[in-house]
Amino acid sequence: MTGTRTGISGTASGPLTVSVVVPCYNAARTLRACLRSVLAQTYRPVEVLLVDDGSTDESREIAAELGCRVLRQPENRGVSAARNAGVAATRGEVVFFLDSDVALAPDALGNAVDILATNPAVGAVHGTYDTEPL
């Protein structure tokens, strides 16, 4: 995060921009629900980036159909490598990682950004998982 902010409405420099990075490997079964939850956020991300980690299913097509940017890894290298590639390709001030089998509550991004923007000493925010997965 750069600069000093005073809330999610921002200051003269504007609100914080958020890039959502979704690492993915053969996640077609849950991916649509995951990405739709991102697209339904009350605090809109500047981009949603699916990092396809060598999938052989229709994960890339689902992400493209929903208007998400797709970064294709030529081979499966694991979730950490996919996250690193995603971070390197983002343009937001805040990077929000989301696993492809998780759906966000509609205010998840807004809550995270509010914490970051109003608490300069905070450098990271994380959520909790529901007891019932996608």
Side-chain angles (χ1 to χ4, degrees):
M1 181 171 80
T2 59
T4 302
R5 307 292 180 143
T6 60
I8 62 172
S9 61
T11 63
S13 60
L16 289 171
T17 57
V18 178
S19 294
V20 176
V21 174
V22 181
C24 170
Y25 178 71
N26 289 338
R29 189 172 64 89
T30 58
L31 188 59
R32 191 177 309 280
C34 170
L35 296 176
R36 283 184 176 156
S37 79
V38 176
L39 299 172
Q41 291 297 295
T42 57
Y43 191 96
R44 301 288 296 187
V46 67
E47 65 184 336
V48 181
L49 175 61
L50 178 90
V51 182
D52 178 66
D53 195 26
S55 294
T56 57
D57 67 2
E58 64 273 7
S59 293
R60 288 184 303 279
E61 292 79 9
I62 291 169
E65 167 192 312
L66 292 172
C68 302
R69 189 163 62 113
V70 176
L71 176 62
R72 185 175 185 183
Q73 300 286 79
E75 62 186 31
N76 181 266
R77 294 179 47 217
V79 69
S80 296
R83 286 185 181 126
N84 289 340
V87 168
T90 61
R91 64 181 192 263
E93 296 168 281
V94 173
V95 176
F96 190 101
F97 292 114
L98 180 63
D99 290 340
S100 58
D101 62 349
V102 175
L104 296 174
D107 58 352
L109 290 183
N111 288 338
V113 169
D114 191 42
I115 291 167
L116 291 170
T118 58
N119 299 285
V122 174
V125 177
H126 69 86
T128 58
Y129 288 103
D130 286 337
T131 56
E132 189 170 325
L134 288 175

